[in-house]
Amino acid sequence: MVVHLISPIARTVALIFISLPSLINTSLLDYDTLVFSKCDSSDTNILQKTTTTQYPNYSNHNLFLRAQALYSFLSKLESESSRAKFFKTLAGNDQHAVSGWFQCREDYPSEICHRCVTELRSISSRMCGNATSARVHLRGCHMVYEFEFVDTPTAQAYNHHNYKLMETPERGLIHKICDGATAETLAGFEEMRTEALTAAETGVVDGHGFYEESYKLLHVVAQCDGHVEACDCGECVSAAAAAAAEECPWSIAGQIYLEGCYVGYTYNPHEYPGDSYHEEGGQASTGKSLAIVVGGVAALVFVAIFFLFLKSLRRKGDDC
């Protein structure tokens, strides 16, 4: 009797354990939180190069072409995000085209990358719908695009082969986040951060554009845009490290976004080598959360079996 009661529970438990990795990935990885966005609508002249004689209803036609180009671009990005962590393209029509790319955190699963880019598409459309260029960063991915005017076959070929936005630009500071907590009382903090970020400079080159490690009491994450060459990537992370020291001198955590790369560090007195996703509240906490979930499921199963066993004993007593 008890065996028959346990069998359905065993099947249920098996299904729960099979789905645990997916539940952990989608619920605990903080991939869709908006970090920052920049929408530029100042270059409106890019849409003012078509003669009114060619299109009498000029304004509405331009808006339609622009929306069509952006829709095509965003659709391409969303489609490719299920297969790649970085993708650049140019999409559009005879009058307007959009060039740009998306990039996901290299250590996030492909499923999370796709979900993140899907969220990027929604957020960018909502926040930067009328912008001629935009940059939107979420925790797990980011996207950059710019409208380009295409009025001749020559211009189209030029734009398609050169990808203005894909060239490595000057490493200007785009955005910074400095934790308000101070590390002035922490002995050797500056030296530790310098050493940790110096290791990241070498690490991104060896790691093909991505680095994540714990160094003493610091956890560091660095990533370069997919079109940035290895040596340029190391130099960009070096510049980001210098910017972190200048912009966030005593912050126990900081994030520096430059043209071409990103660096983030977090001070954690309980840090252990090998932790990852810590900066986003991820794998280190994911491992603990997984243990809690597994323990909780095991406890519930035990209680359920116990009560079913008692119930079976009562029924047996009734039969007597």
Side-chain angles (χ1 to χ4, degrees), residues 150-182:
V150 183
D151 57 352
T152 65
T154 303
Q156 293 179 37
Y158 177 84
N159 283 329
H160 275 278
H161 289 292
N162 282 273
Y163 290 102
K164 289 193 304 180
L165 286 177
M166 310 309 163
E167 298 171 358
T168 304
E170 295 182 4
R171 301 182 187 94
L173 178 65
I174 300 172
H175 189 72
K176 67 177 180 180
I177 300 175
C178 302
D179 194 296
T182 179

Side-chain angles (χ1 to χ4, degrees), residues 90-130:
L90 184 145
N93 46 61
D94 291 342
Q95 298 301 319
H96 303 294
V98 184
S99 63
W101 72 83
F102 80 81
Q103 178 152 16
C104 294
R105 270 190 58 149
E106 187 61 35
D107 57 338
Y108 278 10
S110 297
E111 177 191 359
I112 297 299
C113 179
H114 178 64
R115 293 188 180 198
C116 191
V117 174
T118 300
E119 186 66 17
L120 266 180
R121 177 179 183 179
S122 174
I123 291 176
S124 64
S125 297
R126 186 168 66 250
M127 300 183 68
C128 305
N130 295 320

